[in-house]
Amino acid sequence: MLERIVIDKAVAELRPDVVVLAMTAHGLVNGLSDAVTTDWLAMAAKGAAQGAQDPHLDAWRDAYRAFGAKPQRTRPSVDALLRRADALPAINKVVDAYNAVSVEYVLPVGGEDLDAYQGPARLVRATGEEPFDTVAGGAAAVEHPDAGEVVWRDDAGVTCRRWNWRQCTRTRITETTGNALFLLERLAPYPLDRLQEAAGDLAERLRAITPDVQIESRLIGGA
């Protein structure tokens, strides 16, 4: 998977500064949130007020506006997390780990069930015809992105809408997920060494959850 993940030319033209650090974790033993992972969330929340002033958030808001989204209505994932950092819900061990890293490093971090993927992940501008599996009114539903919207997708459809706003239900990480893909996304002026530091921190937390997990990573993009 890692070597086939791409940032489409149309996205790179929109934001030449985008860099994605993609990480796979094989052999995870996930489970219900516990005292360790909820403590990670609590510790991350302590710095949320300062993180809310980070210029990286402004870069993401500008990126959303560039493809026609309104970041006040559909917020970049890290912006949304920071705004509710004092009450971040514990989901499961792996989701808690990457949400804590996202808040602590003021960095969008997505987590996906690798076994649910069909083909490689790629960051593209949507045609508007791609299916997006979601929930509406408590029931399973299929929506479609706006034409020109930046999305993550695989061969089956959209895996995350509006860059990193909302994940599809098909690839979300659950308590039974054994193999996962993580996407850590950076825009200027976010330092690349800080991106690498965040990835290292996430890897350490995944090893705390599953000591024998096999982790690989790759940097993609950048002008």
Side-chain angles (χ1 to χ4, degrees), residues 6-170:
V6 297
I7 298 172
D8 189 74
K9 180 180 177 181
V11 177
E13 289 174 347
L14 184 75
R15 289 296 304 213
D17 55 337
V18 61
V19 176
V20 177
L21 195 154
M23 175 190 297
T24 55
H26 289 269
L28 285 166
V29 180
N30 198 11
L32 293 171
S33 302
D34 59 17
V36 172
T37 67
T38 54
D39 187 55
W40 288 343
L41 294 173
M43 291 295 291
K46 291 182 178 181
Q50 182 177 355
Q53 308 304 316
D54 195 294
H56 199 215
L57 294 179
D58 290 331
W60 279 106
R61 293 170 188 141
D62 288 345
Y64 271 46
R65 293 186 190 99
F67 65 82
K70 296 180 179 179
Q72 292 80 17
R73 293 183 59 189
T74 56
R75 299 185 184 279
S77 65
V78 64
D79 191 1
L81 284 174
L82 284 165
R83 288 172 180 272
R84 57 185 182 130
D86 289 340
L88 280 176
I91 306 298
N92 57 59
K93 292 180 181 180
V94 173
V95 174
D96 294 352
Y98 77 75
N99 277 345
V101 168
S102 180
V103 170
E104 185 171 332
Y105 289 86
V106 193
L107 185 74
V109 181
E112 309 273 355
D113 190 316
L114 195 53
D115 294 331
Y117 260 76
Q118 298 183 34
R122 55 255 199 205
L123 188 63
V124 306
R125 301 197 70 172
T127 66
E129 298 178 356
E130 303 90 341
F132 175 74
D133 299 322
T134 187
V135 174
V142 177
E143 298 177 353
H144 300 275
D146 299 327
E149 182 180 322
V150 176
V151 300
W152 281 99
R153 66 159 301 165
D154 64 1
D155 292 348
V158 174
T159 55
C160 194
R161 282 199 62 187
R162 292 180 188 159
W163 210 318
N164 48 50
W165 166 60
R166 179 176 292 172
Q167 183 184 28
C168 78
T169 53
R170 173 171 56 90

